Amino acid sequence: MPRGRSSTERARQSVAAPARERSAPRPPLWVEEPARRRRLPDPVRTAAVRAVIIVAVTLVQAMVAFLTALAGSWLSFPMVLSSVASTVVATWGVLDVWVTRQVWNQRHGVVSVPSSTARRLRRERRRARRQERAAERGKVPIRVRVRRREGAGQLSHS
């Protein structure tokens, strides 16, 4: 065994080595990535969570009904009846998610008209807002103003 260093020096170096490793920058544990899809609106998400819980309980209940039927237990018949009722409630829960999503889209979501029609409607709304603002300022509305003729502003006509 080489006698160049004492045992306390070796102990200090072994303690200092992990400290140096800790001081090196590590990559973060959590990297934030942009979402691929937008988050569901709150009412739709609430309905979806409710539906998932109801469906999970229904599946557990159906499994218990199946196992009690295999075991020949007296609990089998009430469990089968409650499983049928639970299936109806689970179907309602899933339909509730679908209906809530459709209602949300109709009230707040996608405009279901062709883009050209939507553009024309936006243009008309903008024109009406401009006219209202001009009227508030005491100016003449836009449609009354003289429109530029073709070729106006050109220095030569070719």
Side-chain angles (χ1 to χ4, degrees), residues 24-41:
R26 287 185 176 176
L29 293 175
W30 186 267
V31 178
E32 196 71 33
E33 293 180 4
R36 291 195 181 130
R37 292 189 328 173
R38 288 184 304 158
R39 182 175 156 163
L40 283 175

Side-chain angles (χ1 to χ4, degrees), residues 87-117:
T87 303
V88 172
V89 173
T91 306
W92 168 83
V94 172
L95 284 175
D96 181 45
V97 173
W98 183 68
V99 169
T100 307
R101 187 167 177 261
Q102 294 299 323
V103 168
W104 177 267
N105 283 338
Q106 282 184 357
R107 289 185 184 163
H108 306 95
V110 183
V111 178
S112 58
V113 293
S115 60
S116 58
T117 308

Side-chain angles (χ1 to χ4, degrees), residues 1-49:
M1 181 159 99
R3 301 203 48 105
R5 289 185 274 175
S6 68
S7 62
T8 54
E9 280 183 54
R10 281 186 296 227
R12 271 192 229 127
Q13 283 183 345
S14 66
V15 170
R20 269 183 272 145
E21 290 173 7
R22 272 188 259 132
S23 66
R26 287 185 176 176
L29 293 175
W30 186 267
V31 178
E32 196 71 33
E33 293 180 4
R36 291 195 181 130
R37 292 189 328 173
R38 288 184 304 158
R39 182 175 156 163
L40 283 175
D42 286 341
V44 178
R45 197 170 59 252
T46 304
V49 169

Side-chain angles (χ1 to χ4, degrees), residues 54-55 57-59 61-62 81-92:
I54 291 171
V55 168
V57 168
T58 301
L59 288 173
Q61 200 170 7
L81 286 180
S82 67
S83 290
V84 170
S86 240
T87 303
V88 172
V89 173
T91 306
W92 168 83

Side-chain angles (χ1 to χ4, degrees), residues 138-152:
K139 291 184 178 179
V140 180
I142 293 173
R143 62 187 156 136
V144 179
R145 291 183 191 162
V146 177
R147 291 194 176 156
R148 294 175 69 166
R149 285 183 236 123
E150 266 186 55

